Amino acid sequence: MNIQIFGKSKCFDTKKAERYFKERRVKFQSVDLLRYGISRGELQSVLRQVMLEELIDPKSPDAPLVNYLAYDEDKIEKLLENPKLLKTPIVRNGKQATVGYQPEVWKSWE
């Protein structure tokens, strides 16, 4: 497994995801979204597995603005510009990806 966890340092679900993999002694790479963001290629890879709407954090004050945009490409651009809008954690395992805390899906990756 080649696990990447994209998250925010103060996100409770990100911490839970990291703990989930640590407890199972699965190595992972942690990426601070607010510091490093996510590349277009990584985001496109995640979008092959999850719906765009799932990636938008409903708790973000700017979420309605992003949802208001008419075209998916515009929404993606806004997410790349402002990673605070992304729901976390985003967990990738090669071509597989999840958004949010989803241990039931991660079990199937083992």
Side-chain angles (χ1 to χ4, degrees):
M1 278 196 285
N2 187 17
I3 304 292
Q4 278 184 306
I5 301 175
F6 293 88
K8 301 170 191 161
S9 58
K10 295 185 179 178
C11 171
F12 183 66
D13 283 344
T14 298
K15 290 180 185 354
K16 284 191 339 187
E18 290 174 351
R19 186 171 52 244
Y20 174 90
F21 290 105
K22 277 181 192 169
E23 287 172 353
R24 285 152 184 79
R25 292 186 170 85
V26 174
K27 289 183 181 176
F28 61 88
Q29 176 189 10
S30 187
V31 179
D32 185 344
L33 272 175
L34 302 182
R35 180 181 280 182
Y36 301 107
I38 188 168
S39 74
R40 180 177 299 280
E42 289 165 331
L43 188 59
Q44 293 292 353
S45 174
V46 171
L47 284 169
R48 288 188 199 97
Q49 297 295 311
V50 299
M51 302 289 295
L52 178 58
E53 290 73 29
E54 292 177 55
L55 278 173
I56 300 168
D57 185 355
K59 296 176 194 159
S60 172
D62 292 334
L65 169 71
V66 177
N67 287 320
Y68 182 73
L69 295 171
Y71 300 106
D72 285 353
E73 195 54 44
D74 293 339
K75 291 178 184 180
I76 291 168
E77 283 302 317
K78 191 56 92 175
L79 292 175
L80 289 169
E81 284 171 24
N82 188 356
K84 285 182 183 177
L85 294 166
L86 290 164
K87 183 176 179 184
T88 53
I90 299 170
V91 181
R92 287 184 58 208
N93 178 22
K95 293 183 179 185
Q96 299 170 305
T98 60
V99 177
Y101 183 71
Q102 298 195 15
E104 63 284 345
V105 175
W106 305 332
K107 272 184 195 147
S108 69
W109 295 352
E110 296 174 14

